[in-house]
């Protein structure tokens, strides 16, 4: 069994009005913890840690669809998202989004990552049967 991780933490956004203080630190410290023997000895080759400007919508989608596609059914995948979450005010169906570094607050639907897209990517591309997802969003 191999262990895989995609950890995303966004405190600094391209849009300054979205700034947070500790989201990137949470993802970074979780990565440090996961590398310890007590927490699974995750290795850098099977991890993507996307902090602040690295955490674009495209980079996160690549991590979910391309990077994690190599996980096997018996592997463990840990996903962590720390940053803003928001509902698109223009949506009639109350669609929820994870706000990535490059999210434009005036165009959430066109620039942020829909939460359902995260789930759909896991269903469509990840073979691992054991997936742990941690969402720390407002």
């Amino acid at each position: 069994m191999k262990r895989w991780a995609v950890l995303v933490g966004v405190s600094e956004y391209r849009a300054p009005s979205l700034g947070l203080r500790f989201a990137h630190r949470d993802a970074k410290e979780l990565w440090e913890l996961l590398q310890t023997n007590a927490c699974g000895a995750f290795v850098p080759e099977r991890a993507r840690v996307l902090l602040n400007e690295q955490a674009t919508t495209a980079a996160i989608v690549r991590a979910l669809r391309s990077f994690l596609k190599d996980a096997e059914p018996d592997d463990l995948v840990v996903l962590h998202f720390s940053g803003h979450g928001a509902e698109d005010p223009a949506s009639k169906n109350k669609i929820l989004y994870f706000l990535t570094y490059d999210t434009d607050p005036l165009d959430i639907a066109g620039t942020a990552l829909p939460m359902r897209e995260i789930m759909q990517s896991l269903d469509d591309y990840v073979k691992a049967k054991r997936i742990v997802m941690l969402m720390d969003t407002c």
Side-chain angles (χ1 to χ4, degrees):
M1 175 193 68
K2 295 176 184 163
R3 293 170 178 87
W4 300 77
V6 173
L7 311 176
V8 179
V10 189
S11 296
E12 299 171 11
Y13 291 82
R14 185 178 293 156
S17 64
L18 296 176
L20 292 171
R21 291 183 60 193
F22 303 115
H24 72 288
R25 188 186 74 185
D26 293 345
K28 184 178 176 185
E29 289 183 9
L30 178 59
W31 173 234
E32 291 170 7
L33 182 66
L34 290 174
Q35 292 178 86
T36 66
N37 288 333
C39 289
F42 284 67
V43 295
E45 301 82 50
R46 287 189 297 278
R48 292 292 180 268
V49 181
L50 304 171
L51 306 176
N52 293 324
E53 69 276 354
Q54 300 166 331
T56 63
T57 299
I60 296 168
V61 169
R62 261 192 309 278
L64 294 171
R65 292 185 188 169
S66 299
F67 173 67
L68 289 179
K69 73 175 175 32
D70 293 330
E72 296 296 329
D74 291 336
D75 292 349
L76 170 67
V77 172
V78 173
L79 302 171
H80 171 79
F81 293 86
S82 184
H84 281 299
E87 184 179 296
D88 181 7
S91 168
K92 64 181 182 177
N93 294 322
K94 298 187 179 200
I95 298 172
L96 299 176
Y97 291 82
F98 179 75
L99 303 188
T100 60
Y101 169 78
D102 52 341
T103 295
D104 177 351
L106 300 176
D107 184 16
I108 290 175
T111 59
L113 181 62
M115 297 286 190
R116 66 183 180 194
E117 174 67 24
I118 295 169
M119 299 307 295
Q120 192 65 50
S121 292
L122 295 175
D123 286 344
D124 290 344
Y125 295 94
V126 181
K127 294 175 276 198
K129 301 282 189 231
R130 293 179 293 167
I131 299 173
V132 175
M133 185 183 308
L134 308 165
M135 300 292 291
D136 182 8
T137 63
C138 50

